[in-house]
């Protein structure tokens, strides 16, 4: 969806449910948490695990793993701020590196003060011990220890607040665009790569899909609004069957291409949403279930990408090539007044998604494969399309490079997006802590990719408008006839 590299996961927090571990393992883990907890070792949210800890984390089952988003590489932000500043400028982002530098400098200053006070406290403790051994009065040093501890506690609180502000800022920083991404502000600056197919020349007035639906009774916008509100639709008869046929057609294609089909949960927690970049920046675009702290997924990209969160994969396991068909739920908060009629922009729609986890040196090759799969589906349905490269200003938050495939809609006399294929490089992998271990090497972050393959709603719209006939009937594409039980034409009112 639209929406550089060494690192380690963050500290391991404690878990109360240790009953599944043997006694020796419980003792070992207890000692581990005590030694390496944030308070015990003074780790910042950007600190690395001590050597060998990653192997310990890998052995633990999922209830004992934890993660915290690493977002962009901190070393890049600190040592090469001009790289991030240039990326923000290319994306026309309002964020300023000045904010990061101010917070990071404040964090460093506070940490230096804390370390200085701790050193002073250590010296005072040593003096107390020396005086007591000598049988002398140590009351003055004991009083100073109490004062030092209070000052250290206050500075620790201030440091934690600055760390939180810094991490919250970093979570809003978008991915760095690839060098091949064209400059530009919005969709008007996107670059067309190629077109396929010639739009059909009609010898009768062309209808929009909502007018065709009124004649054929397939899409019921009024009852959808009655049941749930605007941007909801009820599909009847042939329309429901045709969407189901599209799902099966798409999934069969992906299986032929060697992708593993996944049926994930439709609700996920906050960490999962944060892993793929929806949170915290785009919370208003999501449907949330407050009492449970669950979110309805806006795309299968979210749960499928996070399947391997907090895992270290073997290099031989890559690439992971998945596909998933799910309902998707979006509030369309920023789309007021856009596509208010018809089936183009809905709060709920069905989509088949492709998700890849790859080695870093292979991700752009697999981006081309993913794009080509989306195009091939449209070619098999004989629907004209064009493919464009999104400019930096129009690209999604998590993407490093994105192709949009747009299908021709004769009722609107324009191309509309039907697939968006993105390479997120290590951006999501850092947030979700998804790594692999190269042969003989240290763990590295995988690269993640996602792409639509395809949404059934917009596919249905394209089929209705491109295959409409003078009498209002709709021809079923040859590729879908077997999935429609041999039906070749959808007759008006039937």
């Amino acid at each position: 969806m639209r929406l550089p590299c060494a690192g380690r996961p963050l500290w391991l927090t404690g878990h109360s449910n240790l009953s599944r571990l043997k006694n020796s393992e419980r003792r070992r883990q207890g000692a581990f948490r005590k030694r390496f907890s944030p308070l015990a070792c003074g780790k910042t949210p950007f600190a690395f695990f001590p050597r060998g800890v990653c192997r310990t984390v890998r052995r633990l089952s999922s209830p004992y793993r934890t993660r915290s988003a690493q977002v962009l590489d901190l070393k890049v932000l600190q040592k090469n701020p001009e790289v991030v500043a240039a990326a923000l400028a290319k994306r026309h982002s309002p964020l300023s590196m000045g904010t990061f530098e101010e917070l990071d400098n404040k964090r460093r200053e506070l940490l230096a003060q804390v370390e200085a006070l701790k050193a002073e406290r250590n010296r005072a403790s040593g003096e107390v011990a020396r005086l007591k051994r000598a049988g002398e009065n140590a009351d003055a040093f004991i009083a100073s220890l109490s004062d030092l501890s209070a000052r250290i506690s206050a500075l620790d609180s201030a440091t934690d607040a600055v760390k939180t502000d810094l991490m919250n800022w970093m979570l809003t920083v978008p991915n760095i665009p690839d060098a091949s991404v064209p400059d530009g502000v919005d969709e008007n600056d996107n670059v067309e790569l190629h077109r396929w197919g010639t739009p059909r020349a009609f010898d009768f007035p062309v209808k929009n899909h909502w007018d065709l639906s009124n004649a054929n009774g397939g899409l019921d916008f009024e009852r959808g609004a009655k049941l749930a509100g605007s941007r909801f639709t009820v599909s009847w008869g042939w329309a429901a069957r045709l969407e189901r046929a599209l799902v099966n057609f798409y999934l069969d294609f992906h299986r032929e291409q060697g992708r593993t089909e996944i049926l994930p949960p439709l609700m996920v927690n906050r960490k999962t949403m944060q892993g793929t970049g929806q949170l915290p920046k785009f919370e208003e675009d999501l449907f949330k279930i407050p009492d449970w702290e669950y979110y309805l997924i806006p795309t299968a990209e979210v749960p499928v990408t996070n399947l391997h969160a907090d895992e270290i994969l073997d290099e031989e396991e890559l690439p992971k090539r998945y596909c998933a068909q799910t309902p998707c739920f979006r509030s369309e908060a920023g789309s007021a007044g856009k596509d208010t009629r018809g089936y183009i922009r809905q709060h709920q729609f069905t989509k088949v998604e492709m998700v890849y986890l790859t080695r870093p040196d292979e991700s752009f090759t697999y981006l081309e494969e993913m794009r080509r799969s989306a195009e091939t589906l449209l070619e098999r349905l004989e629907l004209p399309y064009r493919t464009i490269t999104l400019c930096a200003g129009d690209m999604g938050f998590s993407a490093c490079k994105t192709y949009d495939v747009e299908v021709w809609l004769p009722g609107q006399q324009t191309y509309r997006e039907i697939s968006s294929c993105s390479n997120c490089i290590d951006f999501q992998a850092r947030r979700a802590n998804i790594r692999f271990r190269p042969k003989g090497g240290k763990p590295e972050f995988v690269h993640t990719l996602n792409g639509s393959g395809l949404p059934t709603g917009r596919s249905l719209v394209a089929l209705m408008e491109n295959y409409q006939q003078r009498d209002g009937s709709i021809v079923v594409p040859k590729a879908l006839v077997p999935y429609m039980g041999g039906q070749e034409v959808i007759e008006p009112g039937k």
Side-chain angles (χ1 to χ4, degrees):
M1 302 302 303
R2 290 190 191 172
L3 261 177
C5 222
R8 292 292 185 271
L10 304 182
W11 55 72
L12 192 67
T13 56
H15 293 271
S16 60
N17 180 18
L18 297 176
S19 60
R20 291 162 54 191
L21 297 175
K22 295 181 180 179
N23 290 335
S24 59
E25 182 73 0
R26 287 205 302 272
R27 288 192 295 271
R28 187 176 66 80
Q29 290 302 321
F32 172 80
R33 288 194 302 276
K34 183 176 180 181
R35 181 179 178 187
F36 294 119
S37 70
L39 296 179
C41 62
K43 297 295 181 182
T44 73
F46 317 107
F48 295 162
F49 260 141
R51 180 174 297 179
V53 170
C54 294
R55 291 191 295 273
T56 302
V57 175
R58 191 182 183 192
R59 285 197 298 268
L60 296 176
S61 58
S62 58
Y64 309 103
R65 298 193 192 115
T66 186
R67 73 169 183 267
S68 183
Q70 294 192 34
V71 290
L72 291 180
D73 192 339
L74 180 67
K75 293 181 180 179
V76 175
L77 287 163
Q78 291 175 330
K79 297 181 179 180
N80 303 103
E82 70 281 356
V83 173
V84 182
L88 292 174
K90 185 170 184 175
R91 280 180 170 270
H92 299 272
S93 170
L95 295 178
S96 169
M97 281 300 293
T99 303
F100 169 79
E101 291 168 355
E102 180 182 347
L103 290 170
D104 194 42
N105 288 337
K106 183 64 175 176
R107 178 184 67 87
R108 292 169 186 259
E109 292 172 5
L110 289 169
L111 287 174
Q113 293 177 37
V114 168
E115 292 304 315
L117 288 177
K118 286 181 177 179
E120 185 177 346
R121 185 175 61 181
N122 290 339
R123 288 193 296 271
S125 296
E127 192 63 20
V128 168
R130 185 189 67 78
L131 290 172
K132 286 188 174 182
R133 284 194 302 269
E136 300 179 20
N137 190 322
D139 290 349
F141 285 100
I142 293 173
S144 69
L145 282 175
S146 178
D147 178 65
L148 285 170
S149 295
R151 292 166 62 189
I152 290 171
S153 178
L155 284 174
D156 281 340
S157 297
T159 303
D160 289 341
V162 172
K163 290 176 184 177
T164 299
D165 291 341
L166 185 58
M167 179 56 74
N168 288 339
W169 183 87
M170 292 177 66
L171 285 170
T172 65
V173 178
N175 202 351
I176 297 176
D178 184 66
S180 64
V181 172
D183 293 333
V185 179
D186 54 30
E187 60 185 12
N188 297 313
D189 299 316
N190 295 334
V191 177
E192 183 173 318
L193 291 179
H194 57 257
R195 298 188 180 199
W196 182 91
T198 302
R200 174 183 166 194
F202 291 84
D203 58 0
F204 59 87
V206 179
K207 294 181 179 180
N208 284 299
H209 65 279
W210 54 81
D211 292 326
L212 288 166
S213 180
N214 289 336
N216 290 292
L219 301 175
D220 194 334
F221 305 110
E222 289 74 18
R223 285 190 174 90
K226 179 175 69 174
L227 292 174
S230 62
R231 299 192 189 276
F232 288 95
T233 303
V234 175
S235 295
W236 292 82
W238 64 265
R241 290 181 60 215
L242 191 52
E243 282 212 48
R244 177 159 53 88
L246 283 164
V247 167
N248 291 332
F249 171 66
Y250 292 157
L251 289 176
D252 284 351
F253 169 82
H254 292 303
R255 188 174 65 252
E256 292 168 4
Q257 297 293 307
R259 300 179 183 104
T260 300
E261 184 176 346
I262 304 293
L263 188 60
L266 304 183
M267 294 184 290
V268 296
N269 57 35
R270 188 175 187 88
K271 285 185 177 180
T272 299
M273 282 290 187
Q274 184 172 286
T276 41
Q278 279 73 22
L279 291 178
K281 189 174 178 64
F282 304 105
E283 186 151 8
E284 66 175 7
D285 296 329
L286 304 171
F287 283 109
K288 182 179 180 181
I289 304 174
D291 292 342
W292 292 87
E293 283 298 312
Y294 288 153
Y295 295 84
L296 296 176
I297 62 170
T299 164
E301 168 200 346
V302 174
V304 177
T305 301
N306 280 278
L307 282 173
H308 297 288
D310 299 314
E311 294 182 14
I312 300 177
L313 305 171
D314 291 328
E315 185 176 20
E316 293 77 12
E317 297 180 66
L318 299 178
K320 296 283 190 182
R321 299 164 66 245
Y322 297 128
C323 66
Q325 171 266 320
T326 65
C328 304
F329 306 90
R330 300 183 185 178
S331 72
E332 300 290 353
S335 303
K338 296 181 181 178
D339 300 309
T340 54
R341 296 190 67 186
Y343 207 36
I344 291 290
R345 199 178 296 273
Q346 298 279 286
H347 287 312
Q348 175 185 326
F349 60 95
T350 300
K351 178 164 61 74
V352 177
E353 184 79 356
M354 298 176 282
V355 174
Y356 288 4
L357 308 182
T358 75
R359 287 176 13 184
D361 60 333
E362 296 179 334
S363 63
F364 281 97
T365 298
Y366 281 108
L367 176 62
E368 300 303 318
E369 176 192 286
M370 188 174 281
R371 170 189 60 79
R372 188 68 196 116
S373 289
E375 294 173 343
T376 300
L377 286 170
L378 293 175
E379 291 171 12
R380 292 192 181 185
L381 294 174
E382 301 180 76
L383 292 171
Y385 68 83
R386 70 172 184 174
T387 300
I388 61 176
T389 303
L390 297 192
C391 70
D394 195 35
M395 203 162 55
F397 177 79
S398 298
C400 172
K401 183 174 183 178
T402 298
Y403 293 118
D404 269 10
V405 182
E406 300 180 336
V407 67
W408 174 253
L409 298 183
Q412 300 181 34
Q413 286 294 295
T414 190
Y415 289 94
R416 296 297 300 266
E417 176 203 336
I418 196 168
S419 177
S420 193
C421 299
S422 298
N423 185 358
C424 300
I425 56 171
D426 62 349
F427 186 81
Q428 292 178 328
R430 286 181 175 277
R431 298 170 76 104
N433 191 27
I434 310 171
R435 297 179 294 161
F436 77 102
R437 189 185 301 277
K439 292 181 180 178
K442 297 180 180 180
E444 300 177 19
F445 290 107
V446 301
H447 280 193
T448 65
L449 302 90
N450 58 79
S452 310
L454 298 165
T456 60
R458 293 196 178 192
S459 299
L460 180 65
V461 168
L463 294 178
M464 292 173 66
E465 294 193 6
N466 281 278
Y467 282 92
Q468 63 180 292
Q469 306 300 305
R470 180 185 293 274
D471 63 357
S473 62
I474 300 169
V475 173
V476 177
K478 294 179 181 178
L480 292 181
V481 170
Y483 294 89
M484 290 288 286
Q487 184 177 357
E488 296 181 347
V489 179
I490 297 168
E491 301 290 349
K494 295 184 180 179

